[in-house]
Amino acid sequence: MILDDLVTATQRRTEYEQSIVPLSDLKQSISELPKTDSQDVYERFRQPGMHVIGEIKKASPSRGQIVNNLDYIGIAKQYHAADVTAISVLTEPKYFKGHISYLKEINKTIDALTLRKDFIINPYMIYQAKDAGANIILLIVAILTKDQLKQYFDLAHELGLAVLVEAHDEDEVAIALSIGAQMIGVNNRNLKDFSVSFANSINLRKKVPSDIVFIAESGVKSISDTRKLEAIGVNGILIGETLMKSTNPTEFIRKIQEDV
């Protein structure tokens, strides 16, 4: 399965990265950064309105190459101008053609909330995210044990990072809630076969308490889609491919926000 391949590739990559930049160096770098509070991020997403997380990605396993030349700084500026709540940056290089340097450069250029979108499987990647200036990390229930999920969730909070805990079914939502998740992302795309269905968010929204931020991920292609998700009471949506292919992503984002 592609998910297993992604995890294997991530393991190899992080082993190499740690040989280049040891964890001790990352910790030293982080110690010099201003303190942040993960609760500030959660409160942003609890504010009224449809929150948009605009994603920057060059490719994906399901769609292949999405854009040929990735002007990630330019795209981030467009998202920021449209007042997205956060910018998601793919940092996985093999399948999504991303890089941690994209995240770091965006954070040096734009004062915005950023999410490190990757397949985080060890603490080193969380320290990397903090060092690169991220405000949020993604933790995917499907690729972690419950103990790992809790350990990484707690570490992120210690570093001042908010956590978007991604779930795909009722059991995974239950696990996310059991470790104290304050922001749950329900992926409408099945990571095992890449099929997409809004029924996933519709069914699982009822399983998440109203005080927990609920983010619908994947599959949004039109304003009509956003209306469907708004109707079930989601706090926000994560949009990637549709924005990357749009000739005017700023206008699309503003239309979503006006729809509320």
Side-chain angles (χ1 to χ4, degrees), residues 3 7 118-121 138-150 152-153 163-179 181 183-187 191-192 217:
L3 195 55
V7 169
D118 210 321
F119 297 82
I120 292 178
I121 54 170
L138 179 76
L139 293 180
I140 303 172
V141 176
I143 63 173
L144 300 169
T145 66
K146 184 177 178 180
D147 286 345
Q148 285 176 321
L149 187 66
K150 177 61 173 171
Y152 300 169
F153 179 82
V163 182
L164 177 60
V165 182
E166 182 175 296
H168 191 266
D169 57 34
E170 190 172 336
D171 289 341
E172 291 183 0
V173 167
I175 292 171
L177 292 171
S178 75
I179 61 104
M183 183 160 62
I184 293 177
V186 167
N187 199 337
L191 293 177
K192 295 177 181 178
E217 304 175 29

Side-chain angles (χ1 to χ4, degrees), residues 6-228:
L6 280 159
V7 169
T8 299
T10 303
Q11 289 171 332
R12 291 172 179 163
R13 168 172 42 114
T14 52
E15 286 173 5
Y16 172 75
E17 289 170 343
Q18 288 182 75
S19 72
I20 303 300
V21 181
L23 179 58
S24 57
D25 288 2
L26 280 181
K27 288 183 176 180
Q28 175 60 39
S29 178
I30 288 169
S31 70
E32 300 168 3
L33 297 175
K35 298 295 182 182
T36 57
D37 187 345
S38 60
Q39 296 306 313
D40 293 340
V41 175
Y42 298 131
E43 285 307 312
R44 281 279 297 275
F45 279 94
R46 289 190 179 106
Q47 297 304 306
M50 177 66 87
H51 294 276
V52 177
I53 302 176
E55 188 157 271
I56 298 173
K57 64 179 177 182
K58 187 174 184 178
S60 74
S62 61
R63 297 297 183 187
Q65 195 88 352
I66 297 171
V67 293
N68 291 322
N69 298 308
L70 184 66
D71 178 15
Y72 49 91
I73 296 294
I75 295 167
K77 287 180 177 178
Q78 289 185 67
Y79 289 174
H80 188 48
D83 202 27
V84 295
T85 303
I87 299 170
S88 171
V89 184
L90 260 297
T91 60
E92 197 285 326
K94 183 174 181 179
Y95 294 91
F96 291 87
K97 309 301 181 187
H99 200 276
I100 191 73
S101 63
Y102 300 169
L103 179 63
K104 182 169 281 193
E105 289 176 44
I106 287 168
N107 282 316
K108 285 180 178 179
T109 307
I110 301 166
D111 183 17
L113 294 182
T114 56
L115 160 69
R116 181 184 188 180
K117 187 81 175 291
D118 210 321
F119 297 82
I120 292 178
I121 54 170
N122 58 47
Y124 182 83
M125 298 179 75
I126 302 173
Y127 285 102
Q128 271 186 323
K130 179 66 177 181
D131 184 58
N135 307 95
I136 313 165
I137 62 166
L138 179 76
L139 293 180
I140 303 172
V141 176
I143 63 173
L144 300 169
T145 66
K146 184 177 178 180
D147 286 345
Q148 285 176 321
L149 187 66
K150 177 61 173 171
Q151 178 192 346
Y152 300 169
F153 179 82
D154 289 344
L155 173 60
H157 279 190
E158 288 172 18
L159 296 177
L161 295 168
V163 182
L164 177 60
V165 182
E166 182 175 296
H168 191 266
D169 57 34
E170 190 172 336
D171 289 341
E172 291 183 0
V173 167
I175 292 171
L177 292 171
S178 75
I179 61 104
Q182 296 183 53
M183 183 160 62
I184 293 177
V186 167
N187 199 337
N188 296 309
R189 187 185 304 281
N190 188 318
L191 293 177
K192 295 177 181 178
D193 62 14
F194 296 128
S195 60
V196 176
S197 173
F198 284 153
N200 217 35
S201 285
I202 293 168
N203 294 334
L204 296 179
R205 181 67 189 95
K206 295 171 279 189
K207 304 297 180 181
V208 178
S210 60
D211 61 329
I212 306 298
V213 176
F214 188 103
I215 305 294
E217 304 175 29
S218 298
V220 172
K221 295 183 178 179
S222 66
I223 299 302
S224 175
D225 290 339
T226 69
R227 289 194 181 103
K228 292 175 186 176

